[in-house]
Amino acid sequence: MNDNNQKYGAAECGDCNTCDRRCNEQQAQDALLAAVQAAAAVDRNSYEKNLQRERLATLEEDTKPGTQVETFSKNAVVRPATAGREGALLSSNHEGLTLYTLIIYSENFAGILNQITAVFTRRQVNIESLNVCASSTPGVHKYTITCYCKQEMAEMLVKQIEKKIDVLQANCFVDQEIFINETSLLKLSTPMVLADPDISRIVRHHEAQMVEVNPTYTTVVKTGITAEVMSLFQQLNAKGCVLQFARSGRIAITRSCIERLDQYLTKREEEREAN
């Protein structure tokens, strides 16, 4: 046995089977292993990890073969939609009104969306869709809002919104003045899709995509202008196969060759330098 006051390396000891001391290298490996195990234990017991494991377990149970059976019970019934409940194009409450798209730019501060929507509330104008995203200009957010109203009301809304301190610019457009796009998701009954070949033909005719198919339902994604999205829904809904339907808010860019926001920011910078 080696002297307890002397430390040997792995190459110097030569008696690892009987020595009660561990080499420096082995001690470092044990310390590293203990640290990794401790970190793994903390990570495994974290809230995010537990939540993820629960989600995976639930997904595994839901997708298990033989567990999904189409019963068409009270909570999963296929029924034609009522006019006015599945999008503005199905409603007759907008006769004499034009669909305007308001494109608004503002500073990236909390609470601005509430200030903008409050303008519509005070004027009793209903918002049909709303999309908020960061713009290509750093620190500037873009709001795309659609609503049915008269031209005078649309111009009034723009003027009232531009009065907000943190709003940089607001403009209103009709559909002919902008490029628009929407995305929709349709959940179709798989048994009805298999039983009626016309349903698949309608999906292909509208250049939509089937992104998920299981024994219970089929998920279809359609991207395009509002009229195309609603046309697909109306034709599939007439077949009585739609379980769920959802549309995203409209996104839009102008047809103008010049970006109005850039003009405004350039002018404001020139005025600031002049002063």
Side-chain angles (χ1 to χ4, degrees):
M1 186 69 63
N2 297 311
D3 185 6
N4 291 337
N5 295 326
Q6 184 179 5
K7 295 183 180 181
Y8 294 94
E12 300 174 358
C13 179
D15 194 13
C16 295
N17 293 329
T18 59
C19 181
D20 59 354
R21 275 184 167 278
R22 292 193 175 184
C23 303
N24 295 338
E25 182 179 355
Q26 184 64 33
Q27 290 177 351
Q29 291 179 355
D30 291 346
L32 177 60
L33 179 60
V36 171
Q37 290 176 345
V42 173
D43 189 42
R44 177 172 178 79
N45 294 327
S46 66
Y47 172 79
E48 293 79 6
K49 287 294 183 180
N50 289 331
L51 183 61
Q52 181 68 14
R53 285 195 295 272
E54 291 178 3
R55 288 175 176 171
L56 292 176
T58 303
L59 178 61
E60 183 179 358
E61 180 66 23
D62 290 343
T63 57
K64 186 182 300 181
T67 59
Q68 296 190 9
V69 180
E70 182 59 81
T71 60
F72 290 97
S73 62
K74 181 179 179 180
N75 293 327
V77 61
V78 178
R79 64 189 184 279
T82 304
R85 293 180 57 187
E86 298 288 354
L89 294 185
L90 299 181
S91 176
S92 59
N93 299 328
H94 306 298
E95 295 180 358
L97 302 178
T98 302
L99 180 64
Y100 282 92
T101 301
L102 278 68
I103 298 180
I104 304 161
Y105 295 94
S106 76
E107 302 283 356
N108 185 18
F109 296 128
I112 300 204
L113 179 60
N114 184 48
Q115 298 179 33
I116 293 174
T117 55
V119 176
F120 291 83
T121 302
R122 288 196 297 268
R123 299 293 181 274
Q124 296 296 306
V125 177
N126 186 47
I127 294 176
E128 295 294 329
S129 68
L130 186 150
N131 178 277
V132 183
C133 65
S135 71
S136 58
T137 304
V140 177
H141 266 47
K142 181 178 181 179
Y143 305 77
T144 306
I145 304 175
T146 61
C147 63
Y148 278 95
C149 61
K150 294 184 178 295
Q151 180 179 356
E152 296 79 6
M153 178 59 71
E155 295 174 352
M156 183 184 299
L157 290 171
V158 167
K159 292 178 181 178
Q160 291 296 321
I161 292 173
E162 279 195 328
K163 289 181 179 179
K164 303 299 179 182
I165 296 176
D166 297 319
V167 173
L168 300 175
Q169 191 179 64
N171 295 286
C172 61
F173 306 92
V174 294
D175 288 355
Q176 293 77 14
E177 298 174 331
I178 54 178
F179 290 102
I180 62 177
N181 205 348
E182 289 185 9
T183 299
S184 67
L185 287 172
L186 297 102
K187 187 176 182 180
L188 311 180
S189 170
T190 298
M192 299 188 70
V193 172
L194 296 176
D196 189 352
D198 286 341
I199 296 176
S200 299
R201 282 196 287 268
I202 292 173
V203 173
R204 291 195 301 270
H205 175 74
H206 285 81
E207 297 181 348
Q209 295 180 334
M210 292 185 179
V211 295
E212 181 183 5
V213 178
N214 60 51
T216 305
Y217 62 84
T218 300
T219 304
V220 176
V221 176
K222 169 60 181 175
T223 301
I225 62 176
T226 307
E228 295 174 348
V229 169
M230 295 308 302
S231 174
L232 174 62
F233 166 74
Q234 290 170 335
Q235 293 188 36
L236 292 176
N237 188 60
K239 293 290 183 180
C241 63
V242 179
L243 291 170
Q244 294 181 25
F245 172 66
R247 291 167 53 195
S248 69
R250 170 180 292 189
I251 57 175
I253 56 176
T254 63
R255 294 178 181 269
S256 173
C257 299
I258 302 175
E259 179 59 57
R260 299 186 183 184
L261 177 63
D262 293 341
Q263 284 184 323
Y264 168 78
L265 294 177
T266 301
K267 181 179 179 181
R268 190 176 70 171
E269 187 66 24
E270 292 176 350
E271 293 175 350
R272 182 181 303 174
E273 293 177 356
N275 295 331

